[in-house]
Amino acid sequence: MTKSGSTTVVSRASGSPRSPRRSSRRTPASSPPTTETTSLVIDPASAHVKSHLDHFLFTGIFIGLALRTGTQVDLPFARPVWTVLAGGVCDLSLADLAATDAALAASLQWLLDTDLSSPDGRAAADGLVFAVDVETPAGLVSAPLVKGGETRPVTEANKAKYVAMLIRFKLVDGRREQFAAIIRGLDRMMPRRRLLLQSFSPEDLSLVVCGQPDIDLADWRANTIYVNFSVDSPQVQNFWSIVEEATSAERRAILRFVTGLARPPLTGFASLPGASGVQRFQIRRAWTSESHHPVAHTCLNALDVPMYASREQFKQKLFGAIGYASSGFHIS
């Protein structure tokens, strides 16, 4: 799962590889790749990787294992991916396309809002047909949206069908092999997947697999215990002050550092899992000097905190430890 712009199996939701085919004429604009969103979509260019379907099969097994064990995992897929996995392909909309390619979605919305039978509309749609350019290992090819689509023009009468078919191609049909591999992996872990997931909305499935997208600070505080500290201890007050001023990404980083989870469970911090069952978040006094970093024990959801002289020192040491931990180093 990496950024788009390279040959990858999963890319960040942003640009599309090609915009709709217009018989080599102008095409509705497609946005360039960006890295501002953390949502992930399937990269159709993954076919350039020989073993790409093995990656998607593993992804399905990984999701199925998370569902079977009730373990939350950090899989920030865009809504269209969850929609397909929940079996709701027909529910895809222009809004779903906008999550992966805002410029193309805006162009298609303009197409729907414009009377193509008017002189301006006819000029704008000139050469637009029911086909789309697709980049393959063999080069650029034209993929018809319907049989004979390369020669079927888009008109006022059929533009709604064209938009619906293009959305489906961009989000599903152009990635059919990859989705099929994910679903095979899911079926391997959950033989009754269709029965179990048929009542799930995309949002429901995302919540069950990934946990709550937002961290409820009041819930976090209410389900935290203190060891050799009290709720009024300066170190405890400084910790919550740091958390309160942190961005959403920083809060998730703190939670992941201490618990291994980037999101709280679906039922909140009262259900935070530990090594031997439910284990509440802990802030414990460390009997080390203030020159040491905080130490996390993810099996116990515990953070050992030295007696820092100031809030700023605590903050610097905490995020320093998080930075080192994310790089694979163990420090004390």
Side-chain angles (χ1 to χ4, degrees):
M1 298 181 186
T2 57
K3 298 178 183 178
S4 57
S6 59
T7 304
T8 61
V9 294
V10 180
S11 61
R12 294 185 184 273
S14 56
S16 61
R18 291 284 169 181
S19 45
R21 183 174 176 81
R22 280 180 178 247
S23 299
S24 300
R25 301 190 184 188
R26 294 174 323 217
T27 62
S30 179
S31 59
T34 72
T35 57
E36 294 178 358
T37 175
T38 57
S39 295
L40 300 176
V41 295
I42 292 175
D43 188 348
S46 70
H48 292 281
V49 180
K50 185 177 181 180
S51 61
H52 75 122
L53 294 182
D54 292 336
H55 294 278
F56 290 107
L57 178 69
F58 175 78
T59 299
I61 292 173
F62 187 64
I63 295 171
L65 184 62
L67 288 168
R68 284 189 60 172
T69 61
T71 302
Q72 273 74 51
V73 294
D74 189 16
L75 284 176
F77 287 139
R79 184 180 182 276
V81 178
W82 294 118
T83 299
V84 175
L85 296 183
V89 176
C90 294
D91 295 332
L92 295 173
S93 67
L94 203 56
D96 291 313
L97 180 63
T100 65
D101 192 336
L104 179 58
S107 295
L108 293 179
Q109 184 63 62
W110 177 89
L111 192 71
L112 292 173
D113 295 339
T114 301
D115 182 2
L116 300 187
S117 63
S118 67
D120 289 343
R122 284 196 300 271
D126 182 35
L128 188 61
V129 295
F130 276 72
V132 61
D133 286 340
V134 177
E135 195 170 348
T136 71
L140 196 64
V141 299
S142 175
L145 299 176
V146 294
K147 186 176 180 179
E150 299 96 327
T151 59
R152 181 178 178 181
V154 176
T155 66
E156 178 65 22
N158 64 23
K159 67 180 182 181
K161 181 177 181 180
Y162 166 77
V163 169
M165 297 187 75
L166 184 58
I167 291 172
R168 182 184 173 93
F169 182 88
K170 286 289 186 179
L171 299 179
V172 182
D173 290 348
R175 300 154 169 81
R176 188 175 297 278
E177 285 189 340
Q178 294 94 326
F179 275 119
I182 293 175
I183 290 172
R184 284 199 303 274
L186 267 172
D187 287 342
R188 186 176 295 183
M189 299 303 298
M190 302 180 65
R192 298 184 180 181
R193 172 190 59 84
R194 295 182 186 277
L195 178 63
L196 292 171
L197 300 186
Q198 64 181 358
S199 61
F200 278 55
S201 69
E203 293 76 16
D204 290 337
L205 184 56
S206 175
L207 280 174
V208 171
V209 174
C210 303
Q212 295 284 356
D214 300 313
I215 295 178
D216 185 335
L217 295 186
D219 182 44
W220 191 352
R221 294 186 73 149
N223 288 285
T224 295
I225 58 178
Y226 308 103
V227 179
N228 293 315
F229 280 134
S230 72
V231 68
D232 297 319
S233 297
Q235 303 303 321
V236 169
Q237 294 298 310
N238 285 339
F239 174 82
W240 292 119
S241 174
I242 292 167
V243 171
E244 286 172 359
E245 77 165 17
T247 65
S248 295
E250 288 170 339
R251 289 175 184 173
R252 288 193 295 270
I254 294 170
L255 182 62
R256 186 199 296 273
F257 175 65
V258 181
T259 69
L261 300 174
R263 296 181 178 188
L266 184 62
T267 51
F269 280 90
S271 303
L272 199 64
S276 57
V278 174
Q279 174 65 66
R280 286 201 291 172
F281 192 89
Q282 302 180 66
I283 301 176
R284 311 187 308 189
R285 180 173 178 175
W287 304 96
T288 53
S289 75
E290 63 183 59
S291 64
H292 286 69
H293 289 79
V295 175
H297 304 272
T298 54
C299 57
L300 300 173
N301 299 328
L303 181 68
D304 292 349
V305 181
M307 297 296 289
Y308 294 120
S310 68
R311 176 186 178 280
E312 287 308 308
Q313 184 186 24
F314 188 174
K315 181 178 179 180
Q316 184 268 325
K317 290 291 187 178
L318 176 61
F319 284 110
I322 291 172
Y324 282 117
S326 65
S327 302
F329 289 94
H330 174 78
I331 60 171
S332 62

